[in-house]
Amino acid sequence: MDIKLLHINKQFDNKPVLKDLSITFPQGRISCLMGPSGIGKTTLINLIMGLEKADSGTITGLEDKIISPVFQEDRLIEHWDAINNIKLVCSKDVTNKIIEDELNKVGLYEDRYKPVLTLSGGMRRRVALLRALLHDGNLLILDEPFKGLDKELKNRVIEYVKEKAKGKTVILVTHDLKDAELLEAIQIRMLE
Amino acid sequence: MKLSKESGLIKKYGVRFLVLFFWLLLWELLYRVINNEVFLTSPMSVLQTLGELLIQFDFWKTIGFSFTRIVTGFIIAILLGTILGVLAYNFWVIEELISPFFIVMKAVPVASFVILSLLWISTKNLSILISFLMVVPIIYTNLLQGLRNTDKKLLEMAKVFRMGTMGKIKAIYIPSVLPYFMSAIKVGLGFCWKAGIAAEVIGIPNGSIGERLYESKLYLMTDELFAWTVVIVIISMIFEKTVILLIDSIHGIYNGRIKGSGDTY
């Protein structure tokens, strides 16, 4: 089922952030949400995740969805290692062996037992991304998931996301048009 | 490097020994100046009395009596303070309901509590109640504060991922609450001993440290009064160190287990 947002309005402290916004995110496709900073991209995905409530308007198509998010901040359990951070949200079917294999694919195998607080920004981002990708969700909401990754690593991770997200509905927030192109995503631009 | 570390330790303990020696010397000098055994006894007399007490079976029985009761009150306070803190965090009505109780407990002097308690319970169990009453508000307040300071962003993450209650407790709540809980335990330990013994001095239960202190004062046995005070301080310190060591190791095991095993979940 497509996710449809109809005539959404949202304001903070009497300052409108989203004004009569209507967007459709097609089922099973990657949609890239783009636009300048402060336009309300994060507010929009917070509405979909149920972390904010719209002042008016309707959101449909979430009834059958289990959300796997990557937040703007990593939101990891700082003293825990990558494996435990990922296991925390996954079903029992996701074993240590599976997680280790996946960590290897994004270049984190050697650091799998280190507390995430000791990892670099790019490494932490990959842990957060892997946590979402291995979670048993069918709607991936990724807020700038490639932040802090160098070009080569970013391309590798984008390929990995493309592979892992097959068949899932993906809403990805990015500033980089190239990300959208590499992901062969539907581009949705939010304008002022 | 190793040498300088060792010499640092020698210096540290050397200074501590000198400080202790200074205060004992001052005590001895004051004793000689005052020259009145009833008013102020000498450190040597206290040490001698302490030595005599140590070999008596009754001495250990008395310590056992007070220790078990004060510690019982302390443990009940930890359990109930934790339960009430968790309930108050989840249900605001419960917080409203119990907050007057804690406001009153903080304002009322220990002596008033002791005398009131004597109307309700036997003197034998007085120190259990007083130790409990002194510690429970500390545990409750700190625990509630720790829960309230839990990282909201992590709670949002848990909500979106539909994490289970146990996962949230282990990953988010315990790390947030643990520092507040530990600090409450440390403060509570000191309070429960002081208040518990004070209650025994007022209530004079048979076979308690408080009774021995009271008798020492009554019969002007100043050296015994000092010796018992030293005993109370030592027991309190040992108890405090043991509990802190226990909590620290639980904290360490908890973090260590999560850090490296990959087998927590």
Side-chain angles (χ1 to χ4, degrees):
Chain A
M1 200 189 295
D2 294 347
I3 298 163
K4 289 183 178 170
L5 288 87
L6 292 169
H7 308 293
I8 297 290
N9 284 289
K10 177 71 186 170
Q11 58 178 22
F12 292 106
D13 302 324
N14 293 324
K15 196 183 157 202
V17 178
L18 301 174
K19 278 189 281 183
D20 196 35
L21 183 85
S22 295
I23 297 180
T24 299
F25 298 103
Q27 164 79 29
R29 296 285 307 273
I30 301 177
S31 304
C32 271
L33 204 55
M34 291 184 287
S37 296
I39 197 81
K41 300 186 293 294
T42 299
T43 304
L44 179 70
I45 59 172
N46 279 347
L47 290 174
I48 298 170
M49 288 193 284
L51 299 177
E52 302 277 359
K53 222 170 172 265
D55 299 330
S56 63
T58 53
I59 303 175
T60 59
L62 289 173
E63 299 78 13
D64 60 338
K65 301 287 191 295
I66 298 168
I67 301 171
S68 307
V70 169
F71 296 91
Q72 207 167 41
E73 321 83 13
D74 302 309
R75 302 197 189 187
L76 298 166
I77 309 298
E78 296 293 330
H79 285 89
W80 290 21
D81 60 31
I83 292 182
N84 279 305
N85 264 286
I86 294 165
K87 270 191 117 174
L88 181 66
V89 302
C90 292
S91 65
K92 291 216 176 342
D93 307 336
V94 182
T95 60
N96 282 8
K97 175 78 177 65
I98 293 171
I99 296 171
E100 284 180 5
D101 289 346
E102 298 303 318
L103 282 167
N104 198 21
K105 288 177 191 169
V106 293
L108 285 173
Y109 184 78
E110 296 299 319
D111 304 291
R112 65 194 187 284
Y113 292 143
K114 288 181 184 166
V116 292
L117 65 92
T118 64
L119 303 180
S120 71
M123 288 165 137
R124 292 162 57 86
R125 205 69 191 140
R126 278 175 279 162
V127 175
L129 182 59
L130 210 55
R131 179 177 66 178
L133 292 171
L134 294 181
H135 178 241
D136 201 17
N138 52 12
L139 169 60
L140 282 162
I141 297 182
L142 316 175
D143 197 350
E144 298 184 44
F146 312 121
K147 198 168 60 181
L149 305 183
D150 62 49
K151 199 181 163 191
E152 195 187 327
L153 193 59
K154 188 170 165 178
N155 291 342
R156 189 172 148 195
V157 173
I158 284 176
E159 282 309 310
Y160 179 76
V161 171
K162 252 171 89 177
E163 175 65 30
K164 280 278 164 193
K166 264 182 195 157
K168 292 182 180 180
T169 306
V170 182
I171 301 171
L172 190 142
V173 173
T174 183
H175 288 289
D176 197 337
L177 184 65
K178 266 201 164 168
D179 293 353
E181 287 170 357
L182 285 168
L183 284 161
E184 297 162 23
I186 299 163
Q187 295 172 24
I188 301 169
R189 286 179 185 277
M190 287 177 73
L191 304 168
E192 285 195 64
Chain B
M1 192 69 192
K2 200 183 169 193
L3 247 173
S4 70
K5 197 181 170 186
E6 274 173 7
S7 64
L9 273 175
I10 291 166
K11 199 175 161 187
K12 186 180 154 191
Y13 287 108
V15 168
R16 279 189 185 176
F17 176 77
L18 285 174
V19 168
L20 181 69
F21 183 74
F22 167 79
W23 287 109
L24 286 173
L25 193 71
L26 192 70
W27 180 0
E28 182 67 27
L29 281 171
L30 273 171
Y31 161 72
R32 284 173 193 239
V33 170
I34 293 166
N35 198 22
N36 183 338
E37 277 283 347
V38 174
F39 197 78
L40 185 69
T41 188
S42 77
M44 279 315 290
S45 302
V46 173
L47 205 66
Q48 198 183 339
T49 311
L50 204 57
E52 286 163 11
L53 284 173
L54 281 170
I55 52 167
Q56 290 174 22
F57 176 68
D58 262 5
F59 168 79
W60 296 104
K61 215 173 132 187
T62 306
I63 288 178
F65 179 96
S66 295
F67 183 82
T68 48
R69 277 160 182 79
I70 290 171
V71 171
T72 303
F74 180 72
I75 291 169
I76 297 171
I78 290 176
L79 295 176
L80 205 69
T82 306
I83 293 167
L84 289 176
V86 172
L87 285 174
Y89 175 70
N90 287 295
F91 309 101
W92 65 270
V93 180
I94 292 186
E95 192 196 355
E96 291 295 320
L97 193 72
I98 55 181
S99 66
F101 172 70
F102 288 119
I103 291 168
V104 169
M105 279 175 69
K106 280 178 189 168
V108 174
V110 184
S112 305
F113 264 128
V114 175
I115 293 161
L116 275 171
S117 306
L118 283 170
L119 301 172
W120 304 324
I121 58 163
S122 70
T123 54
K124 197 177 146 191
N125 296 321
L126 182 66
S127 46
I128 299 179
L129 183 68
I130 296 303
S131 161
F132 164 78
L133 288 174
M134 289 301 106
V135 178
V136 75
I138 302 167
I139 302 286
Y140 167 83
T141 311
N142 276 36
L143 199 93
L144 193 57
Q145 203 183 341
L147 286 168
R148 290 217 169 116
N149 285 341
T150 305
D151 191 334
K152 299 286 177 288
K153 288 188 183 294
L154 286 182
L155 290 175
E156 283 181 358
M157 179 275 289
K159 184 185 168 189
V160 180
F161 273 115
R162 301 185 187 184
M163 267 169 64
T165 310
M166 280 316 287
K168 274 194 270 187
I169 291 172
K170 280 184 182 176
I172 303 170
Y173 285 115
I174 291 183
S176 168
V177 163
L178 216 53
Y180 292 89
F181 189 69
M182 283 171 74
S183 125
I185 296 265
K186 284 173 191 174
V187 176
L189 280 168
F191 265 117
C192 77
W193 270 99
K194 283 176 195 153
I197 299 292
E200 285 182 353
V201 172
I202 299 172
I204 327 169
N206 278 336
S208 67
I209 295 178
E211 186 198 25
R212 299 296 291 266
L213 276 174
Y214 182 77
E215 280 176 357
S216 308
K217 182 244 167 198
L218 197 66
Y219 302 116
L220 301 175
M221 296 183 295
T222 313
D223 49 354
E224 202 164 303
L225 188 67
F226 271 76
W228 273 108
T229 306
V230 170
V231 168
I232 294 163
V233 171
I234 291 170
I235 299 170
S236 171
M237 277 169 65
I238 293 171
F239 181 51
E240 192 178 322
K241 294 272 178 212
T242 311
V243 173
I244 289 168
L245 209 70
L246 197 74
I247 298 169
D248 280 347
S249 57
I250 291 170
H251 195 189
I253 290 166
Y254 182 78
N255 274 336
R257 191 166 65 105
I258 303 301
K259 267 179 199 171
S261 72
D263 289 331
T264 312
Y265 285 90

